[in-house]
């Protein structure tokens, strides 16, 4: 039916915990015919959908006016990788909100292609990636760089529990540090080699917005906001102390006759 409505601007399909089977070929083709789409919401959690994401990604890429995209396919049998979804997102430069939930599928890919394309969405304000329980590999270098390009980002949610992600976590921290408008951050690394100590080393003091609400779940515990801001608090306290001391010394410096 979507192919018969090329002027469609908003589309929401919600089918939670049904017995929908088949692939995403027809859905992707139908979406690709709606070139004026602004809002796209697909919730197919807990079905029996199989196939890969290629056709869906191609369809999304034909909708350059998209500003809100939510794809929720938790608990299906989707295979393949995220490259086509990434390419589709990269063609939608107006996107301001992106939610990708594919937890508990059979996706095998790395985050590099997705991270590279996310960096093209300069208007992005909300990014939610839930990929827990898949075979996601790669590292955080490209993803961190991509996030760092989204300087308007205010909400970041990254769930990669149980994934095989390696590489330099520092790049992700540096990317987050570029997003001065962040107000909500949730990072979940349960079941990965990323320990609490490693996360503290990378993320402590990098949240530029003092009012940012942040939760980080590492492999061995949760890190509080106070711990993340601790170094910055100490630096500010020392700057204030030395500033006051220098002001006092300048005011009481003996005058030359």
């Amino acid at each position: 039916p979507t192919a018969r409505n090329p002027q469609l601007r908003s589309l929401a399909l919600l089918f939670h915990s049904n017995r929908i089977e088949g692939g995403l070929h027809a859905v992707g083709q139908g979406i690709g015919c709606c070139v004026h789409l602004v809002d796209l919401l697909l919730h197919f959690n807990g079905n029996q959908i199989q196939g890969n994401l290629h056709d869906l990604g191609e369809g999304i890429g034909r909708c350059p006016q998209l500003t809100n995209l939510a794809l929720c396919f938790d608990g299906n049998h989707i295979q393949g990788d995220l490259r086509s979804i990434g390419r589709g997102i990269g063609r939608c430069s107006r996107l301001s909100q992106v939610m990708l939930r594919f937890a508990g599928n059979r996706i095998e890919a790395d985050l590099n292609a997705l991270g590279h394309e996310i960096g093209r969405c300069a208007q992005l304000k909300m990014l939610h990636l839930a990929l827990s329980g898949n075979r996601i590999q790669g590292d955080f270098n490209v993803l961190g760089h991509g996030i760092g390009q989204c300087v308007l980002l205010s909400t970041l949610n990254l769930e990669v529990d149980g994934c095989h992600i390696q590489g330099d976590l520092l790049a992700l921290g540096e990317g987050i540090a570029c997003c001065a408008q962040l107000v909500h951050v949730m990072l979940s690394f349960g079941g990965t080699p990323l320990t609490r100590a490693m996360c503290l080393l990378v993320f402590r003091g990098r949240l530029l917005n003092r009012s940012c609400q942040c939760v980080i779940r590492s492999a061995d515990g949760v890190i509080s906001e106070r711990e993340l801001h601790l170094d910055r608090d100490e630096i500010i306290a020392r700057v204030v102390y030395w500033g006051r001391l220098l002001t006092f010394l300048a005011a009481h410096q003996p005058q030359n006759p």
Side-chain angles (χ1 to χ4, degrees), residues 125-137:
K125 296 181 179 178
M126 188 276 282
L127 177 61
H128 185 136
L129 301 178
L131 305 172
S132 301
N134 287 283
R135 297 179 182 178
I136 306 295
Q137 298 184 9

PDB file of all heavy atoms in Angstrom, residues 125-137:
ATOM      1  N   LYS A 125      20.264  15.013  16.459  1.00  0.00           N
ATOM      2  CA  LYS A 125      20.135  15.415  17.858  1.00  0.00           C
ATOM      3  C   LYS A 125      19.925  14.227  18.791  1.00  0.00           C
ATOM      4  O   LYS A 125      20.201  14.336  19.984  1.00  0.00           O
ATOM      5  CB  LYS A 125      18.975  16.399  18.016  1.00  0.00           C
ATOM      6  CG  LYS A 125      19.181  17.712  17.272  1.00  0.00           C
ATOM      7  CD  LYS A 125      18.022  18.662  17.486  1.00  0.00           C
ATOM      8  CE  LYS A 125      18.255  19.978  16.751  1.00  0.00           C
ATOM      9  NZ  LYS A 125      17.113  20.914  16.912  1.00  0.00           N
ATOM     10  N   MET A 126      19.407  13.119  18.264  1.00  0.00           N
ATOM     11  CA  MET A 126      19.195  11.924  19.083  1.00  0.00           C
ATOM     12  C   MET A 126      19.683  10.697  18.335  1.00  0.00           C
ATOM     13  O   MET A 126      19.309  10.472  17.190  1.00  0.00           O
ATOM     14  CB  MET A 126      17.708  11.771  19.431  1.00  0.00           C
ATOM     15  CG  MET A 126      17.427  10.652  20.459  1.00  0.00           C
ATOM     16  SD  MET A 126      17.287   8.991  19.742  1.00  0.00           S
ATOM     17  CE  MET A 126      15.639   9.036  19.075  1.00  0.00           C
ATOM     18  N   LEU A 127      20.548   9.911  18.985  1.00  0.00           N
ATOM     19  CA  LEU A 127      21.070   8.679  18.396  1.00  0.00           C
ATOM     20  C   LEU A 127      20.920   7.553  19.403  1.00  0.00           C
ATOM     21  O   LEU A 127      21.427   7.636  20.528  1.00  0.00           O
ATOM     22  CB  LEU A 127      22.542   8.850  18.007  1.00  0.00           C
ATOM     23  CG  LEU A 127      23.234   7.604  17.443  1.00  0.00           C
ATOM     24  CD1 LEU A 127      22.551   7.144  16.166  1.00  0.00           C
ATOM     25  CD2 LEU A 127      24.707   7.872  17.202  1.00  0.00           C
ATOM     26  N   HIS A 128      20.222   6.497  18.989  1.00  0.00           N
ATOM     27  CA  HIS A 128      19.974   5.343  19.859  1.00  0.00           C
ATOM     28  C   HIS A 128      20.337   4.087  19.070  1.00  0.00           C
ATOM     29  O   HIS A 128      19.668   3.754  18.086  1.00  0.00           O
ATOM     30  CB  HIS A 128      18.496   5.319  20.276  1.00  0.00           C
ATOM     31  CG  HIS A 128      18.163   4.238  21.257  1.00  0.00           C
ATOM     32  ND1 HIS A 128      17.362   4.455  22.357  1.00  0.00           N
ATOM     33  CD2 HIS A 128      18.503   2.926  21.320  1.00  0.00           C
ATOM     34  CE1 HIS A 128      17.226   3.327  23.035  1.00  0.00           C
ATOM     35  NE2 HIS A 128      17.911   2.386  22.414  1.00  0.00           N
ATOM     36  N   LEU A 129      21.398   3.410  19.492  1.00  0.00           N
ATOM     37  CA  LEU A 129      21.844   2.176  18.853  1.00  0.00           C
ATOM     38  C   LEU A 129      21.782   1.045  19.871  1.00  0.00           C
ATOM     39  O   LEU A 129      22.530   1.050  20.847  1.00  0.00           O
ATOM     40  CB  LEU A 129      23.270   2.312  18.321  1.00  0.00           C
ATOM     41  CG  LEU A 129      23.538   3.409  17.285  1.00  0.00           C
ATOM     42  CD1 LEU A 129      25.014   3.423  16.910  1.00  0.00           C
ATOM     43  CD2 LEU A 129      22.682   3.213  16.057  1.00  0.00           C
ATOM     44  N   ALA A 130      20.889   0.091  19.661  1.00  0.00           N
ATOM     45  CA  ALA A 130      20.766  -1.070  20.544  1.00  0.00           C
ATOM     46  C   ALA A 130      21.091  -2.314  19.730  1.00  0.00           C
ATOM     47  O   ALA A 130      20.265  -2.787  18.944  1.00  0.00           O
ATOM     48  CB  ALA A 130      19.357  -1.155  21.132  1.00  0.00           C
ATOM     49  N   LEU A 131      22.296  -2.832  19.908  1.00  0.00           N
ATOM     50  CA  LEU A 131      22.788  -3.952  19.096  1.00  0.00           C
ATOM     51  C   LEU A 131      23.206  -5.135  19.958  1.00  0.00           C
ATOM     52  O   LEU A 131      23.927  -6.016  19.489  1.00  0.00           O
ATOM     53  CB  LEU A 131      23.975  -3.478  18.248  1.00  0.00           C
ATOM     54  CG  LEU A 131      23.711  -2.255  17.363  1.00  0.00           C
ATOM     55  CD1 LEU A 131      24.999  -1.770  16.717  1.00  0.00           C
ATOM     56  CD2 LEU A 131      22.676  -2.571  16.302  1.00  0.00           C
ATOM     57  N   SER A 132      22.772  -5.168  21.196  1.00  0.00           N
ATOM     58  CA  SER A 132      23.183  -6.213  22.132  1.00  0.00           C
ATOM     59  C   SER A 132      22.782  -7.598  21.624  1.00  0.00           C
ATOM     60  O   SER A 132      21.731  -7.776  20.986  1.00  0.00           O
ATOM     61  CB  SER A 132      22.552  -5.980  23.509  1.00  0.00           C
ATOM     62  OG  SER A 132      22.937  -4.730  24.032  1.00  0.00           O
ATOM     63  N   GLY A 133      23.645  -8.570  21.908  1.00  0.00           N
ATOM     64  CA  GLY A 133      23.314  -9.949  21.571  1.00  0.00           C
ATOM     65  C   GLY A 133      23.511 -10.322  20.117  1.00  0.00           C
ATOM     66  O   GLY A 133      23.041 -11.375  19.685  1.00  0.00           O
ATOM     67  N   ASN A 134      24.185  -9.470  19.349  1.00  0.00           N
ATOM     68  CA  ASN A 134      24.513  -9.806  17.967  1.00  0.00           C
ATOM     69  C   ASN A 134      26.001 -10.130  17.872  1.00  0.00           C
ATOM     70  O   ASN A 134      26.706 -10.185  18.870  1.00  0.00           O
ATOM     71  CB  ASN A 134      24.146  -8.650  17.032  1.00  0.00           C
ATOM     72  CG  ASN A 134      22.653  -8.508  16.844  1.00  0.00           C
ATOM     73  OD1 ASN A 134      22.022  -9.258  16.110  1.00  0.00           O
ATOM     74  ND2 ASN A 134      22.068  -7.543  17.536  1.00  0.00           N
ATOM     75  N   ARG A 135      26.466 -10.321  16.672  1.00  0.00           N
ATOM     76  CA  ARG A 135      27.880 -10.612  16.458  1.00  0.00           C
ATOM     77  C   ARG A 135      28.568  -9.379  15.872  1.00  0.00           C
ATOM     78  O   ARG A 135      29.290  -9.457  14.889  1.00  0.00           O
ATOM     79  CB  ARG A 135      28.043 -11.807  15.531  1.00  0.00           C
ATOM     80  CG  ARG A 135      27.453 -13.096  16.114  1.00  0.00           C
ATOM     81  CD  ARG A 135      27.613 -14.258  15.156  1.00  0.00           C
ATOM     82  NE  ARG A 135      27.014 -15.475  15.700  1.00  0.00           N
ATOM     83  CZ  ARG A 135      26.979 -16.635  15.057  1.00  0.00           C
ATOM     84  NH1 ARG A 135      27.504 -16.724  13.836  1.00  0.00           N
ATOM     85  NH2 ARG A 135      26.429 -17.685  15.606  1.00  0.00           N
ATOM     86  N   ILE A 136      28.311  -8.266  16.495  1.00  0.00           N
ATOM     87  CA  ILE A 136      28.893  -7.007  16.042  1.00  0.00           C
ATOM     88  C   ILE A 136      30.365  -6.980  16.431  1.00  0.00           C
ATOM     89  O   ILE A 136      30.732  -7.214  17.580  1.00  0.00           O
ATOM     90  CB  ILE A 136      28.172  -5.802  16.679  1.00  0.00           C
ATOM     91  CG1 ILE A 136      26.666  -5.887  16.420  1.00  0.00           C
ATOM     92  CG2 ILE A 136      28.735  -4.504  16.157  1.00  0.00           C
ATOM     93  CD1 ILE A 136      26.284  -5.774  14.983  1.00  0.00           C
ATOM     94  N   GLN A 137      31.196  -6.692  15.462  1.00  0.00           N
ATOM     95  CA  GLN A 137      32.624  -6.621  15.707  1.00  0.00           C
ATOM     96  C   GLN A 137      33.152  -5.270  15.262  1.00  0.00           C
ATOM     97  O   GLN A 137      32.397  -4.371  14.921  1.00  0.00           O
ATOM     98  CB  GLN A 137      33.350  -7.749  14.981  1.00  0.00           C
ATOM     99  CG  GLN A 137      32.927  -9.135  15.443  1.00  0.00           C
ATOM    100  CD  GLN A 137      33.730 -10.228  14.781  1.00  0.00           C
ATOM    101  OE1 GLN A 137      34.700  -9.961  14.098  1.00  0.00           O
ATOM    102  NE2 GLN A 137      33.333 -11.467  15.008  1.00  0.00           N
TER     103      GLN A 137
END
